[in-house]
Amino acid sequence: MGIFGRKKRGRHAMAGPDDSWEEDVAEEPEDEPEPEPAATDGPFDIADAPEDDRPRIDLGSVRVPVPDGTQVQVEMDPQAGGVRAVHVVTAHGQVTVSAYAAPRSGGLWREVVAELTEQLRNDGARVAPGQGEWGPELSALIGDVALRFVGIDGPRWMLRGVIAGPQSMAAEAPAVLRDIVRGTIVDRGDAPMPVRTPLPITLPDAVVEHIAQQQAQQ
């Protein structure tokens, strides 16, 4: 379901699971000041979110950049009655960014990428592992569809990004994916969750109204 798009700006346009549980108690020193957060180029935890003018769609647990010339699509889950995923459709493929609860110790993405590799190969895909700026990446080819996966372990969250598009765009697609993932902000929240639980997606009011109008017209 297409929701809205961002037109390219001219020179004078305005910018606009498993069942394990994470340990939710941390001991902090009483007499020492908290260390400054490490500098990062993104993606960002909500505590380190940049104050910039980059357009993002606020989905509650994640704020995902919406570059010029792209469109946002919402995939609904008919059985659960909620949102299954939100995609950013670009000229090079469909980008999907998802966040999950993760252990404080990190390392969840390495487990997930190994599982993805096995699953994709079992489905008949041609799979090629690689390394990127955040660690392991994964490329896969299923028919004429090229996939690229990246993942980042954050503070008690893991962010996964994937772009799916035609094989003819496979060379340019990873840069598009990394740019969107790099600009994403994750709001994990404080509630304890089972490891690998998807962080909840909430839609902006304007998008909810748009979906309701479309459903009323069907």
Side-chain angles (χ1 to χ4, degrees), residues 68-195:
D68 292 340
T70 63
Q71 185 183 50
V72 172
Q73 291 186 346
V74 177
E75 181 181 350
M76 304 299 293
D77 187 338
Q79 294 182 345
V83 179
R84 177 176 295 161
V86 177
H87 313 288
V88 179
V89 182
T90 77
H92 297 87
Q94 175 179 282
V95 174
T96 309
V97 178
S98 308
Y100 303 83
R104 291 183 184 275
S105 57
L108 180 57
W109 171 240
R110 289 189 177 274
E111 297 178 14
V112 171
V113 77
E115 294 165 3
L116 274 172
T117 300
E118 182 178 3
Q119 178 182 335
L120 287 164
R121 285 176 174 161
N122 289 340
D123 291 341
R126 293 166 52 191
V127 181
Q131 286 287 322
E133 60 186 283
W134 299 298
E137 296 187 0
L138 195 64
S139 299
L141 188 63
I142 304 177
D144 293 329
V145 178
L147 302 168
R148 176 67 67 99
F149 296 85
V150 300
I152 302 93
D153 290 302
R156 298 171 61 231
W157 51 258
M158 185 201 77
L159 191 67
R160 189 187 80 171
V162 57
I163 186 168
Q167 186 176 359
S168 60
M169 295 289 185
E172 297 85 0
V176 176
L177 170 63
R178 293 189 192 106
D179 180 63
I180 290 177
V181 169
R182 188 180 297 111
T184 297
I185 299 168
V186 182
D187 188 352
R188 162 64 176 78
D190 296 326
M193 298 181 188
V195 170

